[in-house]
Amino acid sequence: MNNLVLPEGPAWLASDVHLGPATPATQEAFLAFLDVAANEAAALLLPGDLFDAWIGDDVIRAAPPWLAQALSGLQATAARVPVYLGRGNRDFLMGAELARAVGAQLLPDVALLDTGFGRVLLSHGDEYCTDDAAYQQFRAMVRDPRWQEQFLAKSIPERLQMAQQARGESMAANQAKTTEIMDVNAGAVETAFRDADVALMVHGHTHRPDRHVLMIDGRKCERWVLPDWDCDHGSARGGWLVIDQDGPQFYDLGDASED
């Protein structure tokens, strides 16, 4: 497991922003968030699904306007504070070219963060959804370097079509699944806490933001679930977690948008 020593000061974490051409209001809110983070955070960590889909780093060479704007915002923030990008279930193909372009660092799938509050286990969170066997099979396939090499060898239009088809099939399949199946497995979470020897875990993915307190081997542990972002369909939804020497504190995007 990779240890990441963060700069002294507050670490900001946000997940599941799902940037894309169809969510301009969400992107506007995220860019405003980046401006604040650049001024107030000591480090910014984005552990997965920053983009609604990512078909390969070569798309940045002729980026459409929405993507160019998002990359510019990330680059401006990374010029002021360290930015770390994690791969989620929708943008698992983010790679070194993208990281270099915006001046960010790539996160491992699971990272141990050394913060002012202590060690924190950070991941996207989909690896803990072990009750969803079909998804875990899909995850193993698309994380295979051989599959990724074959996919990236295709043209951008071909990859876009495949991504759209896969997304449609996933949405259809999810309608037949219970929310419990798509949530994290309690045993997988407990194993992760024990293996990492931590008392604080942060992840996204499930779109079920909450603070869970549990006892593991007689020790009080907390699991914080980051929210997904959506400002294009009704009231603003989203938020971020700040971890400093006093511990984690959640900030709701809806509250921030009303200030």
Side-chain angles (χ1 to χ4, degrees):
M1 193 174 299
N2 298 65
N3 275 65
L4 181 61
V5 180
L6 298 180
E8 184 176 349
W12 286 34
L13 304 94
S15 183
D16 297 273
V17 185
H18 300 299
L19 297 177
T23 54
T26 303
Q27 175 147 319
E28 182 180 358
F30 179 69
L31 292 174
F33 162 77
L34 288 180
D35 286 340
V36 179
N39 289 322
E40 300 183 14
L44 174 62
L45 300 100
L46 305 168
D49 283 4
L50 172 60
F51 297 101
D52 197 49
W54 192 259
I55 61 168
D57 286 1
D58 54 341
V59 298
I60 68 178
R61 301 171 195 170
W66 75 267
L67 179 55
Q69 184 185 42
L71 297 177
S72 178
L74 288 167
Q75 186 178 43
T77 303
R80 301 179 63 183
V81 299
V83 173
Y84 302 88
L85 300 177
R87 302 174 182 91
N89 55 294
R90 299 192 188 185
D91 53 13
F92 54 86
L93 285 171
M94 290 196 302
E97 183 176 352
L98 168 63
R100 285 194 300 268
V102 300
Q105 301 179 55
L106 291 174
L107 286 168
D109 286 348
V110 179
L112 267 179
L113 310 179
D114 286 333
T115 74
F117 184 66
R119 288 191 304 168
V120 179
L121 182 63
L122 176 67
S123 73
H124 182 59
D126 56 333
E127 62 267 62
Y128 306 131
C129 299
T130 55
D131 292 330
D132 192 345
Y135 170 71
Q136 292 300 327
Q137 290 175 357
F138 171 79
R139 185 180 189 276
M141 178 186 73
V142 300
R143 297 292 181 118
D144 188 315
R146 293 169 296 180
W147 183 93
Q148 293 187 3
E149 183 180 2
Q150 292 173 358
F151 180 81
L152 293 172
K154 300 181 184 298
S155 68
I156 289 179
E158 286 178 311
R159 281 180 267 157
L160 281 172
Q161 184 178 9
M162 290 177 66
Q164 291 168 354
Q165 180 179 350
R167 182 61 186 146
E169 293 173 352
S170 174
M171 292 176 66
N174 286 347
Q175 291 179 354
K177 298 176 182 177
T178 65
T179 54
E180 289 75 19
I181 286 178
M182 292 188 291
D183 202 357
V184 298
N185 174 275
V189 166
E190 289 187 10
T191 297
F193 269 111
R194 289 192 181 100
D195 289 347
D197 190 25
V198 297
L200 178 59
M201 170 191 292
V202 180
H203 69 81
H205 177 65
T206 63
H207 299 189
R208 302 176 73 174
D210 207 343
R211 170 181 174 263
H212 301 270
V213 179
L214 56 160
M215 296 296 295
I216 299 177
D217 301 331
R219 178 168 64 171
K220 177 184 174 182
C221 297
E222 294 185 10
R223 177 171 67 91
W224 286 76
V225 185
L226 300 169
D228 64 309
W229 290 46
D230 187 355
C231 302
D232 292 272
H233 305 91
S235 57
R237 182 174 74 244
W240 63 96
L241 195 69
V242 174
I243 302 176
D244 59 18
Q245 61 183 5
D246 297 321
Q249 182 174 356
F250 178 71
Y251 292 83
D252 187 87
L253 184 64
D255 294 339
S257 66
E258 295 171 2
D259 291 344

